Amino acid sequence: LLSDLINKANGLNRANYTSASLKAVDDVMTRAKEVLNNPEATKEEVKTAVAELTKALAGLEANSVKQGDKTVSIKTGDETSLGMLMSLTGLSLLSFIGYVSIKRKED
């Protein structure tokens, strides 16, 4: 279990979390690796390391994304597609209204 938690911590995308919460994980990771690599470690030491690392991982805080910040988030294009769809819908509606208005004037 301790080895799995260490692997999980090593596999984190560090750009997604605050530096303060990552520091807490890093501090616990140092102790956890010492326990894992110690063949003389007691069950109590392993349990303590597991509990501390679990708590540190649970305490990770995600970075908040500021307006226009592209360093943390991945742009999926969803906003662009929605914006384009709304623009085309509005343009179509205006064209239809214009067409109906011209037709009425002709009649």
Side-chain angles (χ1 to χ4, degrees):
L1 181 58
L2 182 57
S3 179
D4 289 343
L5 286 171
I6 290 172
N7 288 336
K8 180 179 178 181
N10 284 331
L12 292 173
N13 183 348
R14 297 179 68 85
N16 292 339
Y17 302 100
T18 64
S19 58
S21 65
L22 284 170
K23 183 177 179 339
V25 171
D26 291 342
D27 291 346
V28 173
M29 280 283 287
T30 302
R31 290 191 298 274
K33 286 178 182 178
E34 289 173 359
V35 170
L36 183 66
N37 293 325
N38 180 3
E40 304 290 321
T42 65
K43 284 185 179 182
E44 193 59 38
E45 289 173 320
V46 173
K47 284 182 182 180
T48 300
V50 166
E52 289 177 350
L53 189 50
T54 300
K55 182 178 178 182
L57 288 171
L60 283 170
E61 296 175 5
N63 278 328
S64 59
V65 179
K66 296 176 183 168
Q67 189 68 18
D69 183 6
K70 296 179 184 176
T71 58
V72 176
S73 62
I74 298 173
K75 185 134 178 91
T76 61
D78 292 341
E79 292 175 24
T80 303
S81 298
L82 180 61
M84 184 176 284
L85 177 63
M86 292 182 73
S87 296
L88 289 174
T89 302
L91 183 60
S92 296
L93 183 60
L94 286 174
S95 296
F96 178 74
I97 291 171
Y99 174 76
V100 169
S101 179
I102 290 172
K103 269 305 224 189
R104 284 188 178 174
K105 286 183 182 179
E106 288 178 358
D107 293 338

